[in-house]
């Protein structure tokens, strides 16, 4: 059976960036698997715009050459801010062709520990050993559905990640649950597609980003003060943003403070540019779901304030809840030997789990390194940390 030094699972922003960085280590045999940018291409709605700002949307590469600007120049087709989803997908695929043309698009179906290293099995049955494994497989298996919706027909209730094209709901009454970007943008896209969309959420009010007060204040403060308050990574509000951009510092704080800051940095919020698009979409806040019942081809949703909605579909913009035991390719015994907290792996330097040689990047790394790791802008930190760890080992 063949053997390699490092296997990377997933060709989204984290896997691409990790592979491009690790390839700079002389003599290291790195193999990257997965369909490039497939989560963004298949599990986000057409017409979506990225919430992250331009500077926070480059996928890190070692030479700082594969930026959004470089992609624009090479495609000869400039695009606006906020970055449209389809252009971001094309950017990631361009990045892959430039830096990693030998990507293997096969799916990895199993990773297990063995005395010869990790045994990796591909969808077609091929197996090989790998000294290290880097999991950069994203959040798709972690889509969270409130228990009331767990056993309902997906034709009546579905998670936002199940849709690529919301135009299929044209002419229908659709209730969107949630108050974050995904729920709000889905409601806007549904309305624009001709559905009668409405939003319901537990939150008492919606947090709009880049509000009038903050925009005016920041304009008055000027670039120098703004740059002191906000890191280019664009995660978290003024001041906190700088701390979130430094995961190694954040990690040194007491756990309770880390948790508090993390919650504050990534609370559900909507981009300011959605406000106008939601003018005609009813938004009902401060209510939790009490019960759900299907009546023929409709759903009756009752809330804890006694109100009821009777709709043709419920779209769950309820986010993701990390639990690495849900990665279908990780052997059960392997998962059990990884130190975990609430589904998150406990990671050391180099984003390495308690199983030596097994690294996990992206959102599952957020418990250890903070919410930066949930976003594209965290690829800079993650890839450099990985290179430091692996290059260090190679050197010794
Ligand atoms: C609706 C929505 C909007 C978002 N908007 C933003 C935004 O504006 N800015 C931002 O920074 N972040 C945004 N995010 C967060 C975004 O998901 C992450 O920033 C980003 O996807 C993290 O990259 P990743 O490489 O960890 O995961 P992914 O992009 O999900 O990539 C993981 C890849 O692994 C592959 N894979 C999984 N299992 C296997 C396997 N067994 N074998 C081979 N390949 C496998 C998948 O196919 C996938 O391509 C958004 C998320 C959602 C849901």
């Amino acid at each position: 059976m063949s053997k390699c030094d490092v296997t990377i699972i997933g060709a989204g922003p984290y896997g691409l960036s990790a592979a491009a960085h690790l390839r700079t280590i002389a003599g290291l045999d790195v193999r990257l698997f997965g369909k490039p940018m497939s989560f963004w291409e298949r599990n986000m709605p057409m017409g979506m715009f990225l919430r992250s700002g331009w500077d926070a949307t480059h996928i890190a590469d070692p030479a700082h050459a594969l930026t959004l600007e470089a992609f624009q120049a090479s495609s000869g087709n400039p695009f606006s801010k906020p970055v449209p989803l389809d252009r971001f997908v094309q950017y990631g695929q361009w990045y892959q062709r430039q830096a990693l043309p030998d990507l293997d698009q096969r799916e990895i179906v199993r990773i297990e520990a063995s005395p010869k290293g990790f045994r990796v099995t591909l969808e077609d049955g091929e197996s090989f050993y790998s000294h290290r494994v880097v999991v950069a497989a994203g959040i798709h298996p972690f889509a969270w559905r409130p228990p009331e919706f767990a056993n309902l027909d997906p034709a009546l209730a579905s998670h936002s990640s199940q849709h690529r094209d919301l135009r299929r709901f044209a002419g229908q009454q659709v209730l969107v649950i949630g108050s974050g970007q995904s729920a709000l943008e889905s409601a806007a896209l549904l309305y624009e597609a001709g559905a009668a969309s409405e939003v319901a959420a537990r939150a008492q009010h919606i947090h709009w980003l880049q509000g009038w007060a903050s925009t005016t204040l920041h304009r008055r403060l000027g670039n120098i003060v703004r740059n002191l308050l906000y890191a280019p990574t664009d995660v978290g509000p003024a001041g906190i943003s700088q701390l979130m951009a430094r995961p190694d510092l954040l990690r040194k704080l007491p756990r309770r403070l880390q948790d508090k800051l993390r919650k504050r940095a990534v609370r559900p919020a909507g981009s300011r540019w959605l406000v106008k698009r939601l003018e005609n979409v009813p938004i009902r806040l401060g209510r939790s779901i009490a019960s759900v019942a299907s009546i023929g081809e409709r759903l009756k949703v009752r809330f804890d304030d006694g109100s009821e909605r009777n709709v043709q579909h419920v779209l769950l913009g309820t986010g993701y809840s990390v639990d690495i035991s849900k990665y279908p390719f990780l052997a059960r015994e392997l998962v059990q030997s990884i130190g975990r907290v609430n589904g998150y792996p406990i990671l050391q330097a180099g984003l390495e789990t308690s199983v030596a040689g097994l690294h996990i990047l992206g959102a599952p790394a957020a418990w250890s390194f903070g919410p930066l790791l949930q976003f594209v802008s965290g690829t800079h930190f993650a890839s450099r940390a990985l290179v430091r760890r692996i290059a260090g080992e190679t050197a010794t």
Side-chain angles (χ1 to χ4, degrees):
M1 212 181 290
S2 67
K3 201 161 179 187
C4 72
D5 295 319
V6 184
T7 297
I8 302 175
I9 308 173
Y14 276 86
L16 291 170
S17 173
H21 281 78
L22 289 177
R23 287 274 166 90
T24 60
I25 302 175
L28 196 74
D29 178 11
V30 181
R31 297 182 71 181
L32 171 66
F33 291 88
K35 306 230 168 358
M37 302 298 286
S38 68
F39 178 64
W40 293 80
E41 194 168 30
R42 297 178 189 166
N43 304 103
M44 296 191 197
M46 274 174 4
M48 185 190 109
F49 289 94
L50 269 68
R51 191 182 100 171
S52 53
W54 185 275
D55 289 340
T57 303
H58 308 289
I59 302 173
D61 74 287
H64 307 289
L66 303 177
T67 58
L68 286 171
E69 287 84 359
F71 166 61
Q72 278 201 125
S74 96
S75 69
N77 185 2
F79 47 93
S80 55
K81 300 175 196 177
V83 176
L85 172 65
D86 58 342
R87 301 312 309 274
F88 184 64
V89 171
Q90 289 163 13
Y91 162 61
Q93 293 170 342
W94 169 82
Y95 181 116
Q96 177 261 311
R97 289 192 301 276
Q98 301 296 311
L100 304 149
D102 60 342
L103 162 81
D104 190 325
Q105 299 214 8
R106 284 176 291 177
E107 193 183 326
I108 288 179
V109 293
R110 193 162 171 84
I111 305 280
E112 56 204 313
S114 90
K116 293 183 187 167
F118 296 97
R119 186 184 166 133
V120 179
T121 306
L122 304 175
E123 58 182 330
D124 57 7
E126 185 188 325
S127 281
F128 60 91
Y129 290 110
S130 186
H131 178 52
R132 287 182 181 273
V133 164
V134 176
V135 176
I139 52 174
H140 188 229
F142 312 144
W144 191 75
R145 293 166 176 77
E148 295 83 359
F149 295 93
N151 299 317
L152 286 173
D153 181 349
L156 292 173
S158 57
H159 190 267
S160 55
S161 63
Q162 290 175 264
H163 300 284
R164 165 89 188 113
D165 187 353
L166 292 171
R167 289 176 304 186
R168 57 172 284 215
F169 294 108
Q172 294 190 27
Q173 275 177 292
V174 183
L175 174 65
V176 180
I177 308 285
S179 61
Q181 177 77 6
S182 178
L184 297 170
E185 192 166 11
S186 295
L189 288 165
L190 282 163
Y191 174 77
E192 287 153 5
S197 62
E198 55 187 293
V199 175
R202 257 187 331 215
Q204 295 296 336
H205 56 270
I206 301 217
H207 299 287
W208 295 109
L209 298 167
Q210 302 103 28
W212 177 85
S214 71
T215 314
T216 313
L217 189 67
H218 296 156
R219 212 174 284 139
R220 292 233 173 107
L221 289 174
N223 277 346
I224 296 176
V225 181
R226 196 170 48 232
N227 292 343
L228 281 174
L229 294 175
Y230 290 94
T233 40
D234 198 18
V235 176
I240 292 179
S241 163
Q242 289 291 3
L243 191 53
M244 296 301 129
R246 292 168 176 78
D248 284 327
L249 189 61
L250 178 68
R251 227 163 123 65
K252 295 203 171 91
L253 299 178
R255 187 71 238 178
R256 275 181 62 185
L257 183 56
Q258 280 187 53
D259 291 344
K260 211 169 149 188
L261 289 168
R262 179 175 155 206
K263 220 168 157 187
R264 176 64 188 87
V266 287
R267 65 181 180 184
S271 295
R272 195 79 197 166
W273 41 262
L274 278 171
V275 173
K276 197 156 176 47
R277 291 172 60 192
L278 287 166
E279 255 170 18
N280 298 313
V281 174
I283 299 180
R284 299 182 178 89
L285 299 169
R287 62 194 64 195
S288 299
I289 293 155
S291 66
V292 182
S294 61
I295 302 166
E297 294 189 345
R298 298 181 75 92
L299 273 184
K300 189 156 92 173
V301 181
R302 218 162 52 75
F303 292 95
D304 58 354
D305 62 355
S307 63
E308 280 183 3
R309 303 300 306 150
N310 189 317
V311 295
Q312 283 152 298
H313 195 85
V314 171
L315 187 71
L316 301 167
T318 42
Y320 297 80
S321 174
V322 171
D323 178 358
I324 57 160
S325 70
K326 291 189 175 159
Y327 279 139
F329 50 82
L330 283 182
R332 212 147 71 97
E333 310 74 57
L334 186 55
V335 173
Q336 277 163 359
S337 42
I338 301 172
R340 284 168 289 159
V341 173
N342 300 331
Y344 287 86
I346 301 171
L347 302 176
Q348 327 294 328
L351 290 85
E352 191 166 9
T353 65
S354 54
V355 174
L358 181 65
H359 304 253
I360 305 190
L361 315 186
W367 189 87
S368 301
F369 289 94
L372 175 67
L373 279 293
Q374 294 169 226
F375 298 93
V376 175
S377 56
T379 55
H380 299 264
F381 170 80
S383 298
R384 284 200 297 257
L386 198 60
V387 167
R388 271 198 303 276
R389 172 74 184 96
I390 296 178
E393 182 195 58
T394 313
T396 53

